[in-house]
């Protein structure tokens, strides 16, 4: 039998009557992600997902990497299947794992007997296979407490499987089981991480980006589309809704007190985002705000921003410091793109002395000269959707 993958499901196994819906979404997400790498047979049995290539044309390395980015899987193993007999299991260990065993200083065998009809216990299987491997690889020491390498044997309903140590999966829940959110996606470090964290909880993303040409360049817009493309490896297909924001920022500059520029700009963003979110069937807004990181992210400032919204606003990185966010940005490969020197609209008309403890009534008075309803309607009407289907 050819090499195949064993993927262990995470939180899904704790679900009750709705578990089938979670498993169905996981199956469809895996099918879509693996499609570029060939034809694979995907089966969900008990707590495992079996991913088996249907022919030799499949790109196993590409598929393996893709499986590591599918939410709903907590660990994954590349494995070899064989008949459920000691001779076949030992042969598979030597053929499939022999190189890894021979390079180790010490090893042990760990077995799991999911098929209770098999006539030996897990301990007996480990002892028998471990003894045979010790004879086959006399230069490698047996160490059952702190081995350099562990051989895993799993006796399942259909076959036995052998594999080395498992690798981590993406965790979380399958994208699509938790509703849909509108992510305010800037070109910075924080908002892609916020989107990743929402997708990990099974939430689909609709991305909204505010673009202020000519104050921000076309390269800045392309940078955000590249970020969305990188994120799509985890969150799946998404769309970036590009909102022209120049006219609104100029209106704020010409009609509002300077110290309130950023706060009024944020309130306009939230109004537009909520209008778009409702059109797109989203049940929430998501931002990359971190408490106290900048002047517009104090608790008072966020209260003023929230005041224009009726939808809930999620802030997944609210309690994280910058270093924690950067660690996650590196993990999901958005960091290098985020730090490219193309500024977003948040840097346009930045006040010299921004208000950090604003009062809502003062903000409402400061923005009174704006035709808010008309500006929001025009921005929503002229929004450009850009569909993201994978890495650009």
């Amino acid at each position: 039998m050819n090499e195949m993958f064993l993927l262990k499901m995470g939180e899904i196994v704790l679900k009750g009557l709705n578990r089938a819906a979670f498993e169905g979404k996981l199956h469809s997400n895996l099918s879509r992600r693996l499609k570029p790498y060939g034809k694979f047979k995907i089966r969900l049995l008990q707590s495992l997902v079996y991913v088996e290539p249907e022919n030799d044309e499949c790109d196993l390395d590409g598929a393996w990497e893709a499986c590591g980015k599918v939410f709903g899987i907590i660990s994954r193993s590349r494995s070899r299947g064989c008949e459920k007999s000691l001779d076949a299991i030992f042969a598979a260990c030597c053929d499939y794992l022999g190189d890894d065993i021979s390079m180790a200083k010490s090893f042990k065998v760990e077995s799991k007997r999911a098929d209770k009809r098999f006539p030996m216990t897990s301990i007996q299987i480990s002892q028998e296979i471990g003894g045979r491997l010790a004879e086959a690889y006399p230069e490698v020491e047996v160490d059952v407490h702190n081995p350099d390498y562990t051989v895993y044997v799993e006796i399942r309903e259909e076959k036995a499987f052998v594999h080395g140590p498992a690798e981590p999966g993406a965790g979380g829940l399958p994208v699509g089981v938790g509703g849909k959110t509108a992510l305010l996606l800037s070109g910075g470090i924080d908002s892609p991480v916020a989107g990743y964290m929402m997708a990990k909880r099974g939430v689909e993303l609709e991305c909204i980006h505010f673009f202020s040409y000519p104050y921000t360049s076309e390269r800045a817009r392309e940078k955000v589309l590249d970020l969305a493309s990188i994120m799509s490896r985890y969150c799946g297909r998404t769309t970036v809704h590009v909102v022209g924001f120049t006219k609104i920022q100029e209106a704020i500059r010409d009609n509002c007190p300077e110290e309130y520029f950023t706060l009024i700009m944020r309130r306009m963003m939230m109004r537009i985002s909520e209008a778009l979110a409702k059109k797109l069937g989203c049940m929430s807004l998501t931002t990359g705000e971190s408490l106290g990181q900048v002047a517009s992210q104090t608790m008072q400032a966020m209260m003023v921003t929230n005041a224009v919204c009726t939808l809930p606003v999620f802030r997944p990185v609210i309690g994280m410091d910058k270093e924690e966010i950067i660690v996650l940005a590196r993990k999901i490969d958005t960091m290098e793109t985020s730090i490219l020197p193309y500024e977003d609209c948040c840097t346009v008309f930045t006040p010299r002395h921004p208000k950090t403890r604003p009062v809502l009534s003062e903000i409402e008075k400061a923005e009174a000269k704006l035709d808010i309803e008309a500006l929001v309607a025009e921005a929503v009407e002229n929004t450009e959707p850009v569909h993201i289907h994978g890495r650009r």
Side-chain angles (χ1 to χ4, degrees):
M1 182 180 178
N2 290 331
E3 183 179 43
M4 62 182 295
F5 308 152
L6 300 181
L7 313 179
K8 185 176 181 181
M9 288 184 275
E11 293 178 58
I12 295 175
V13 302
L14 303 177
K15 302 300 176 183
L17 296 177
N18 60 349
R19 175 170 170 173
F22 284 77
E23 291 182 341
K25 182 58 70 173
L26 176 59
H27 188 285
S28 64
N29 289 350
L30 277 167
S31 297
R32 186 174 65 251
R33 300 290 185 86
L34 295 179
K35 189 174 181 180
Y37 305 103
K39 293 184 178 180
F40 291 85
K41 183 179 181 181
I42 301 171
R43 295 174 298 142
L44 285 71
L45 296 173
Q46 296 178 319
S47 63
L48 280 183
V49 182
Y50 299 81
V51 178
E52 185 175 1
E54 294 190 9
N55 54 55
D56 293 336
E57 304 302 316
C58 293
D59 176 2
L60 288 179
D61 290 337
W64 175 249
E65 184 178 353
C67 285
K69 294 178 171 63
V70 176
F71 292 123
I73 302 298
I74 59 168
S75 67
R76 55 203 171 105
S77 306
R78 297 179 79 143
S79 66
R80 172 72 62 84
C82 63
E83 294 179 3
K84 292 188 287 186
S85 71
L86 291 176
D87 289 343
I89 293 169
F90 171 66
C93 288
C94 294
D95 183 47
Y96 186 61
L97 303 175
D99 289 344
D100 291 331
I101 297 171
S102 63
M103 293 175 63
K105 295 179 181 179
S106 61
F107 83 97
K108 77 169 183 176
V109 177
E110 195 167 301
S111 302
K112 180 176 182 179
R113 187 184 59 143
D115 180 5
K116 301 305 181 185
R117 297 170 300 178
F118 193 77
M120 300 175 70
T121 66
S122 297
I123 293 175
Q124 289 171 332
I125 296 167
S126 296
Q127 290 173 337
E128 180 64 31
I129 298 299
R132 294 191 188 192
L133 290 174
E135 292 180 4
Y137 301 92
E139 71 284 0
V140 183
E141 199 176 309
V142 175
D143 185 346
V144 297
H145 298 294
N146 296 292
D148 189 35
Y149 185 80
T150 301
V151 173
Y152 291 89
V153 176
E154 299 192 34
I155 309 296
R156 295 281 169 178
E157 293 295 323
E158 297 179 356
K159 294 180 179 293
F161 296 91
V162 301
H163 60 84
E167 294 187 18
L173 295 170
V175 173
V177 299
K180 189 189 295 187
T181 192
L183 170 69
L184 279 68
L185 182 63
S186 72
I189 298 170
D190 304 338
S191 57
V193 171
Y196 163 84
M197 292 177 71
M198 291 300 290
K200 188 173 182 178
R201 300 313 304 160
V203 178
E204 292 183 60
L205 304 181
E206 294 279 356
C207 301
I208 299 174
H209 175 65
F210 292 88
F211 182 55
S212 293
Y213 185 82
Y215 300 108
T216 54
S217 69
E218 186 65 27
R219 294 293 296 275
R221 178 181 183 275
E222 290 300 310
K223 169 184 169 180
V224 170
L225 298 182
D226 285 341
L227 282 172
S229 185
I230 296 169
M231 290 170 61
S232 73
R233 302 174 193 169
Y234 292 92
C235 68
R237 295 172 293 187
T238 188
T239 299
V240 179
H241 304 271
V242 181
V243 179
F245 204 53
T246 306
K247 182 176 179 178
I248 292 174
Q249 288 193 288
E250 290 176 339
I252 294 170
R253 177 198 61 189
D254 296 340
N255 293 282
C256 303
E258 181 184 344
E259 66 266 30
Y260 295 127
F261 280 0
T262 301
L263 288 166
I264 295 172
M265 177 192 73
R266 293 290 298 177
R267 282 164 62 88
M268 292 299 291
M269 286 181 170
M270 299 301 272
R271 290 181 174 108
I272 294 165
S273 296
E274 179 164 280
L276 286 169
K278 290 179 177 178
K279 284 181 63 176
L280 297 166
C282 298
M283 294 183 284
S284 66
L285 305 179
T286 296
T287 77
E289 293 166 292
S290 172
L291 187 62
Q293 189 176 115
V294 295
S296 64
Q297 295 177 18
T298 63
M299 194 171 294
Q300 293 91 335
M302 284 188 277
M303 181 190 71
V304 165
T305 301
N306 275 20
V308 301
C309 300
T310 58
L311 292 178
V313 180
F314 296 132
R315 296 176 169 93
V317 301
I318 190 72
M320 299 171 66
D321 63 34
K322 200 67 177 184
E323 286 305 312
E324 291 172 311
I325 297 171
I326 286 172
V327 168
L328 264 179
R330 294 193 187 283
K331 174 184 174 181
I332 64 176
D333 296 325
T334 56
M335 184 65 185
E336 295 306 313
T337 301
S338 291
I339 61 176
L340 291 174
Y342 308 119
E343 296 180 327
D344 61 33
C345 69
C346 293
T347 62
V348 178
F349 309 135
T350 302
R352 288 165 293 180
H353 304 289
K355 280 280 186 179
T356 59
R357 298 178 182 274
V359 176
L360 180 58
S361 60
E362 294 177 358
I363 295 291
E364 291 173 337
K365 182 179 179 181
E367 65 184 13
K369 291 184 179 180
L370 300 175
D371 189 347
I372 293 173
E373 188 174 332
L375 289 169
V376 170
E378 183 179 356
V380 171
E381 177 67 25
N382 295 322
T383 295
E384 174 197 1
V386 180
H387 301 292
I388 305 295
H389 296 293
R391 185 157 177 78
R392 294 148 54 81

